[in-house]
Each structure stands twice: as C-alpha cells, then as structure tokens.
Amino acid sequence: MSLPTVRYLPGTRIVASLAAGALLLEDAQTSYRLDYEQLILCCGAQELLLPFPGWTLPGVTGAGALQALIKSGASVAGERVLIAGSGPLLLASAATARAAGALVSGVYEQTDRYQLINFGVGLLRWPGKLAQAFKLFSTRYRWRSHVIEAMGDRRLEAVRIRQGDAEAVIACDRLACGFGLVPNTVLAQHLGCSLEDNAVAVDRYQQTSQTGIYAAGECTGVGGSELALVEGEVAGLAATGKVEQAQALFTHRAYWQRFARHVKEHFGLRPEIRRLARVDTLICRCEDVALSVLAEEQGWNAAKLQSRCGMGACQGRICGSIARELFGWSLPEPRVPLVPARIETLMACSEKDMS
C-alpha cells in the first residue's frame, strides 16, 4: 500500500521555527514538530487599514474583512452597507454584500477618474480581467472619493464622505473600508528571509534568501490569484528539482506580473488619504495609542518604550502597516510565539530549540 503524497493539516498554525529545518505547529488538540528539507511559504496578504476618526466603531471593518464575515455566515440582509477605500477589492466586496442581501449605498474609490480610465483601457491586455470588471461594475461606484470619518455613539450610524470637493453624510449600518492589500511577511521574516519592497524577496525560481525556503503568492507581492497560482507551481517544481518544467512557466508568470504592476500603478494612494487621522485618532487599537503619541517617535523601538504600540494581541500586524504608511517606519520584527499559543505547546520545546 503506497503512502499518500500529501498530508493535509487543517486548523493548524505555525507557532515558531525551532532548530534549522523544523517548525513548531499547533492545532485544536495538540502541538508537534514538523521537520522539512524544502519549505514553500504561501502566507498570503493582509488588508491595509488606514486610520480615520471613528474607524474603531463597531460596524466598521475592512473591505476584505466584510467578505470574510459574510462567507463565514454573518448576516447582512437588509443592512445599509457603504464600501470605501481603494483597489479592485472594493467592487468584489460590494458584489458579495449585494448577493447576501445588503443594500449597498455606494462604492467610494479614492483614485481619480483619469487613473481609472487608463486602468480600464489597459485591461485589454487581460481580457478575462476586463470581463470580470464589467461583471462587478456598480452604478453606485464613485471615483476620487474617500471617507472622512465614521460617526456614531456606541456603533456606526453614518459616514462622512468627500467626493471631489463636496462632502456628504450618509446613514449606514456597516462601513467596509480598505486600501488594498500588503504582503504577510511575518513567518518569512522569522525564518530570516530578506524583504524587498516590503515583500518576501525571491529569485526566478521563487527561492528566498534562505537556501531551501521558497515563497509564492501574495507574500512575495500582491498580484492576484492567477499570479499566485503560477508562482506556486514554479516554486513546487523548483523545490522538487524539476527546473526545466519550472522554466517553462516563466513567460506565463511574467504575463501576470505585468498585471500586478498595472494595478499598482493606477491605485496608488493620494497624499490626503494618509492625513485622515486626527491627533486623537487611535493608531494602535490593541493598546489605545493615539496619533499624537506616535507623531514624534522615530521608530518601533521608541514607540514601544514610550507607548506599548504594537505590543498588543495583534503584535503590530495592523498598526505596523499603518505606521509604515504614515511615518515610514520599517515593519516590526516578529516575536515568538508568532500566534497566541497554549502554554503546553511552548513547554514542549526546550529553550535551545527556539530560534
């Protein structure tokens, strides 16, 4: 009887790396060590949230987070939903909300009309994406528009929007506001992999700066599912020694890399988006640290010493990306454990095993 070639471990999280070539894993029942010779990282991306007054009110989420909530069973039927931020994810989020019975009040994109027209014309090089854009398009889509503040007492009640030079207050039950995606590099950094442009740096075979460790998908740069799939295939072939087959995919990968650059070029954030927060707006939600506390600091170490910014439950995953956008700080160094873990999981490994 032959052994299966794939071992699937659902509901499993990586807690830390141990000695070279080993990871500490944890699931709902137990923890264990996983040894490897070749490792492929497919850590995905996280949503970029930028602070504005009221962004911590109940009812305010990211655009991608709204999709995740709906797919996990949250009911939005009959609710007034407003989508805002930047990037193609806004239209996808709006479509998901409408399909779930939500009343989408509007989709507000911060990019201007000129950039959007050029983006649409450029999609002629990717006919499938052009067809997808037409399918998702909404008559409530507005350009050069962004949230100024979310309003409400104990939860969201309305949103103040700026469209061009005009402002309006729109009543709503939910606000989904996201400004694109950023690569999730936490595990890669923990393993010592180099970064480039805030993404995991890889060579043409998707190998990182660490021999035997490959990376594919959004953690190497946000580019969509098509690029992630072909990168994963290149990485898998290269990791198993099938170099010629990997090379055969380079042209197809380059095709989708051009699409990724096309999106990035036309959905860059306008300067005013980084100035939405007021002095009393929270930047670090876990530790209740406001913009005024961080504005004079020089980086993460000083911020932690003075305010505990980035030391809460999310370990800087949210406020780290925010601080990079607002202040130009480098990302915080990952700390062990990488995720909340049971004490018995940590006790199972000796100090010398932890890297």
Side-chain angles (χ1 to χ4, degrees):
M1 179 179 178
S2 61
L3 294 174
T5 57
V6 176
R7 183 183 177 196
Y8 178 52
L9 304 173
T12 303
R13 303 183 298 176
I14 299 174
V15 176
S17 65
L18 303 175
L23 297 172
L24 175 62
L25 308 183
E26 179 185 88
D27 60 22
Q29 284 77 41
T30 187
S31 61
Y32 44 93
R33 171 184 175 132
L34 178 67
D35 294 295
Y36 63 87
E37 294 180 6
Q38 309 284 342
L39 178 66
I40 303 175
L41 305 177
C42 303
C43 304
Q46 64 186 53
E47 196 161 10
L48 175 61
L49 306 176
L50 292 178
F52 49 86
W55 77 297
T56 59
L57 278 172
V60 180
T61 67
L66 176 62
Q67 280 190 302
L69 284 170
I70 292 173
K71 290 176 180 178
S72 64
S75 175
V76 296
E79 293 188 353
R80 300 164 299 175
V81 176
L82 191 148
I83 315 286
S86 190
L89 181 60
L90 301 186
L91 285 173
S93 182
T96 300
R98 282 196 301 270
L103 307 174
V104 178
S105 305
V107 181
Y108 296 91
E109 166 62 57
Q110 61 90 38
T111 296
D112 61 37
R113 180 173 60 177
Y114 175 78
Q115 293 290 348
L116 288 171
I117 290 173
N118 284 342
F119 174 73
V121 172
L123 287 183
L124 291 171
R125 289 172 287 175
W126 299 276
K129 289 295 184 182
L130 182 62
Q132 186 180 37
F134 275 117
K135 183 178 179 181
L136 293 176
F137 184 75
S138 169
T139 57
R140 295 186 177 275
Y141 189 73
R142 301 291 182 267
W143 53 79
R144 202 166 177 266
S145 305
H146 63 267
V147 171
I148 299 176
E149 66 175 317
M151 307 163 67
D153 184 11
R154 296 187 177 182
R155 65 163 290 115
L156 179 70
E157 298 173 4
V159 176
R160 188 183 303 277
I161 288 284
R162 175 168 292 158
Q163 184 178 350
D165 297 323
E167 291 186 12
V169 175
I170 302 173
C172 61
D173 303 301
R174 287 184 186 268
L175 166 63
C177 187
F179 293 93
L181 302 172
V182 291
N184 179 359
T185 62
V186 174
L187 178 57
Q189 286 180 275
H190 178 57
L191 293 170
C193 302
S194 298
L195 303 185
E196 182 178 351
D197 295 330
N198 300 312
V200 182
V202 294
D203 65 14
R204 62 180 184 154
Y205 294 105
Q206 302 294 139
Q207 184 167 223
T208 71
S209 60
Q210 297 294 317
T211 302
I213 300 181
Y214 298 77
E218 310 277 52
C219 64
T220 67
V222 176
S225 60
E226 295 87 357
L227 178 57
L229 287 170
V230 68
E231 284 181 346
E233 194 169 354
V234 170
L237 290 169
T240 53
K242 300 176 183 177
V243 176
E244 291 185 1
Q245 293 181 48
Q247 291 173 344
L249 295 171
F250 286 180
T251 300
H252 186 50
R253 181 180 59 186
Y255 175 77
W256 288 110
Q257 286 174 333
R258 288 192 293 272
F259 173 73
R261 290 193 294 270
H262 183 65
V263 174
K264 186 175 181 180
E265 288 169 3
H266 292 88
F267 288 95
L269 297 181
R270 292 186 289 121
E272 56 263 43
I273 302 301
R274 295 183 174 88
R275 300 194 294 266
L276 294 176
R278 299 171 185 162
V279 293
D280 60 344
T281 301
L282 295 182
I283 303 300
C284 175
R285 298 182 296 185
C286 298
E287 297 294 331
D288 292 337
V289 183
L291 175 64
S292 59
V293 177
L294 301 177
E296 302 303 320
E297 303 298 345
Q298 300 303 309
W300 270 108
N301 289 338
K304 287 180 179 180
L305 287 171
Q306 300 298 326
S307 68
R308 291 186 52 83
C309 180
M311 297 180 70
C314 86
Q315 290 292 283
R317 283 170 172 79
I318 302 299
C319 56
S321 298
I322 291 173
R324 183 179 59 198
E325 291 290 332
L326 299 188
F327 312 127
W329 295 356
S330 59
L331 290 171
E333 290 294 325
R335 296 189 300 165
V336 174
L338 298 178
V339 294
R342 296 188 297 270
I343 291 179
E344 56 261 38
T345 296
L346 303 179
M347 291 177 64
C349 298
S350 64
E351 234 178 82
K352 64 181 180 181
D353 286 331
M354 304 296 283
S355 62

